[in-house]
Amino acid sequence: MTTQPKSSLPEQGAPVDQTARHQEKIDKWAQVQINRFRKAVKGVHPRSCPICDYHGSFVAFGQPPRYDARCGSCGSLERHRLFVLFCARTGFFGPDHAVLHFAPEHLLSLRIKDVVAQYETADLSESRNVTHRINIEDTGLPDASYDRIVCNHVLEHVDDTAALGEFFRLLKPGGRAILSTPICEGWAETYENDAVETPADRLVHFGQADHVRFYGRDLRDRIRAAGFELEEFTAREPDVLTYGLMRGETLFVVTRPDGAKT
């Protein structure tokens, strides 16, 4: 009796490799999204930049990418344009002001330094050319030295209680600061997790490898707990469409009350 060789093909009715089929679907869907992104990455709607006065296509930026986020001329992002709009509309900086700018953004520095009496910058990084190479949590600078402080997208990296306390101490009575940070307005409480220690895990949990929290609405409570009065300036229409802003992004504008003690 001759033994027939077994066929390499699966018998009729044998289970199909579901993993391979799922991967094939994922690959097809991914390619659709890649093609869609390639069409939109150079801009989905003409925008205007209040920093450099450019009007035209913006480009996508970020991870995940945000359409029309970066100015096609000066490279400004949404938060830079929101900042400039607020300052222009409110006269936030005055010719007699002393200003301290933490982690200074070049585009904003250019807009601030020529309209104030004293402009100083601060950062801990050795790679930055700044006035003060200091820790934002304990600067060592004199009390009540500044009329204005600028701090964009730094609080999510540091001990924010200590940093806010320093801002309060450094501002003159009646002095004001502009603060901005990523925030999830749908969360009542800020998300922090001591078990998240590696850069890879922080990326997944907090959205960036060097972030230590993701703020919820209680950021406002943290700001007020430091002694500040609080106002807000939020990106709304028609500014969002006109200037390519992030819907609902907020600048937290804080004031050290007159007569307040450190």
Side-chain angles (χ1 to χ4, degrees), residues 155 158-161 187 189-196 205-206 212-215 218 222:
L155 291 176
V158 301
D159 180 337
D160 56 349
T161 300
W187 292 350
E189 297 181 353
T190 294
Y191 172 54
E192 296 175 291
N193 188 337
D194 291 339
V196 178
H205 284 258
F206 306 129
V212 298
R213 67 182 62 83
F214 208 115
Y215 285 107
D218 64 337
R222 297 182 182 217

Side-chain angles (χ1 to χ4, degrees), residues 29 68 78 84 86 134 138 170 174 240:
W29 292 338
D68 291 355
E78 304 99 326
V84 167
F86 169 77
I134 51 178
D138 184 10
L170 292 170
V240 169

Side-chain angles (χ1 to χ4, degrees), residues 83 87 93-94 99 101 105-119 148 150:
F83 179 99
C87 293
F93 296 108
V99 178
H101 190 172
E105 306 95 329
H106 180 66
L107 285 171
L108 301 187
S109 293
L110 295 174
R111 299 283 300 208
I112 301 170
K113 66 180 183 179
D114 290 337
V115 300
V116 299
Q118 176 183 334
Y119 177 71
R148 298 288 186 266
V150 178

